[in-house]
Amino acid sequence: MKKYASLLLLALFLNGCDDGDLTVDTIDFDSVTPTSCTTFDENSTSTDPFIVYKLKSQEAFILQLPRTEGLINDPGTVEYDIDNAQYRVLYRAYNGTVAKDNICGTIPPSTPNVTEEWVGTAGKIEIVTDQVTTDPDANGATRIKAYNHTIRFNNVTFLKPSGPQVEELFEFGTLQTTVTPADLTFADTDTNKAEVCNGNTKIYNYNASFTLTVESLDPSLLKNEATPTGQPRTQDITSSTNKVVYRTFKSGTGSITSDYNFCGSQIPTLPSLSQTWIGTNDTAAGTKATIEVTTEEIAGGASYIHTVVLKNVVLKKDNSSFKLGNSFLLGKITVTP
């Protein structure tokens, strides 16, 4: 498939500028919301550029970004130089009604024709990103469902038919990219079974596409001794002790099963790791993240069941974060001494 970049470049040479009905002095798309030719996927391996555009009846405002070094699904601000190569800004006026296919089509329609074109030759593209989370549920849990990318151009120079024109600040608008909210439902929902590695230093649970672990665990939390009613063993979750780690894996590279090497010193290469989130305190609520273990003695010590609960854990990756919940059951570990 021809790349969108090639289409934009070809249009510079092939779309003739004739005497159309629309004469343009200024660019005004304030009432139009940006959209994109394709759905943004931060794990995409495509080398095609990512095209964001705004349309009016006979006008188009187009932004081209690299697929992997443009939009970033993480709160913060990034800035890129407009170079008319990887980072392109184009305005076009047409002599008829313009549609998505004129911007995104593999073979653009022959009409309408471009009657005027402004090409961004210098300036900065600034993108400010914020995460969009779900409302807290009854357990205080939240999930990330989208990111808002507010795009503006600073000191952009447009090369027009009449000569260059500089815009000190141009607000392009906000593009929202959706993400699938994290679903931390484990494979064994019937018994809520979790597992522990030898030495009682790592607890884990999983589903086909993710793992949730407590690493560098204090072994005393899993002492084979019944805890008094309402008095679980409790310790803080930190970055070095009782460390909570949520890992997701790329689709199409394999699945997490009981045969996965959870206890090795290195993460297996397959399935391929996608994201790593670390458990932290809920600073917004002013509460510490803790791990609680309630131990039940069975048949006079023939076995023990350790119920592991994570309290007030916020999972964080770079500047993105969501709350696991006020109370989250990691699972139940059955031990036979």
Side-chain angles (χ1 to χ4, degrees):
M1 184 182 75
K2 293 183 179 178
K3 293 181 172 55
Y4 296 122
S6 299
L7 296 176
L8 293 175
L9 186 60
L10 285 171
L12 291 175
F13 300 98
L14 300 179
N15 281 345
C17 295
D18 56 26
D19 296 328
D21 298 328
L22 185 64
T23 302
V24 182
D25 295 318
T26 60
I27 300 174
D28 181 6
F29 282 80
D30 290 349
S31 62
V32 182
T33 300
T35 189
S36 58
C37 288
T38 56
T39 301
F40 179 71
D41 179 4
E42 58 189 337
N43 292 319
S44 174
T45 58
S46 172
T47 57
D48 289 343
F50 187 71
I51 305 298
V52 186
Y53 64 91
K54 303 174 80 170
L55 297 182
K56 293 171 71 174
S57 61
Q58 292 181 242
E59 298 172 87
F61 201 8
I62 306 165
L63 169 64
Q64 175 187 299
L65 299 168
R67 180 72 59 170
T68 57
E69 295 181 8
L71 297 182
I72 300 173
N73 277 348
D74 193 54
T77 301
V78 293
E79 193 174 69
Y80 306 108
D81 291 323
I82 296 171
D83 59 8
N84 201 29
Q86 291 192 87
Y87 301 91
R88 307 185 68 196
V89 178
L90 295 172
Y91 165 81
R92 286 178 180 156
Y94 296 80
N95 65 355
T97 302
V98 62
K100 177 181 178 179
D101 284 347
N102 296 100
I103 311 301
C104 307
T106 303
I107 302 177
S110 58
T111 59
N113 292 322
V114 175
T115 60
E116 185 168 334
E117 181 168 76
W118 300 13
V119 179
T121 58
K124 301 285 186 179
I125 302 166
E126 180 184 283
I127 305 175
V128 179
T129 300
D130 298 292
Q131 71 176 40
V132 181
T133 56
T134 60
D135 293 331
D137 65 13
N139 186 38
T142 61
R143 299 291 184 264
I144 300 172
K145 62 180 182 180
Y147 289 88
N148 285 335
H149 308 275
T150 301
I151 305 168
R152 61 176 60 95
F153 307 135
N154 296 317
N155 296 314
V156 58
T157 299
F158 286 107
L159 183 60
K160 303 165 51 179
S162 59
Q165 176 176 315
V166 178
E167 297 282 348
E168 183 177 350
L169 175 63
F170 201 105
E171 300 285 354
F172 186 74
T174 299
L175 177 73
Q176 184 171 97
T177 56
T178 58
V179 296
T180 302
D183 179 8
L184 282 95
T185 302
F186 297 122
D188 187 348
T189 57
D190 294 329
T191 65
N192 296 314
K193 180 183 178 182
E195 300 286 354
V196 62
C197 297
N198 291 336
N200 292 348
T201 59
K202 185 176 185 179
I203 301 171
Y204 61 88
N205 211 333
Y206 67 94
N207 207 327
S209 61
F210 75 87
T211 62
L212 185 63
T213 60
V214 181
E215 302 175 6
S216 300
L217 180 76
D218 184 338
S220 67
L221 285 167
L222 297 180
K223 185 178 181 181
N224 288 333
E225 181 179 294
T227 53
T229 302
Q231 298 180 42
R233 298 184 192 93
T234 302
Q235 288 191 18
D236 290 345
I237 291 169
T238 72
S239 60
S240 57
T241 305
N242 307 320
K243 181 179 180 179
V244 174
V245 184
Y246 168 56
R247 295 183 176 93
T248 64
F249 298 86
K250 294 179 181 178
S251 175
T253 64
S255 298
I256 303 296
T257 68
S258 59
D259 294 328
Y260 185 79
N261 186 7
F262 295 93
C263 299
S265 59
Q266 299 293 327
I267 299 171
T269 55
L270 292 175
S272 299
L273 181 66
S274 175
Q275 297 179 344
T276 301
W277 301 71
I278 304 299
T280 64
N281 297 325
D282 186 353
T283 55
T287 54
K288 279 190 173 183
T290 59
I291 178 172
E292 295 185 354
V293 179
T294 300
T295 303
E296 178 185 1
E297 182 182 291
I298 306 298
S303 62
Y304 293 87
I305 299 176
H306 303 287
T307 300
V308 183
V309 175
L310 307 178
K311 293 287 191 73
N312 302 309
V313 174
V314 170
L315 291 171
K316 186 175 179 64
K317 178 181 70 69
D318 299 326
N319 296 317
S320 298
S321 63
F322 64 92
K323 188 168 183 178
L324 198 54
N326 297 329
S327 180
F328 183 87
L329 176 63
L330 180 58
K332 297 182 177 184
I333 302 168
T334 300
V335 176
T336 302

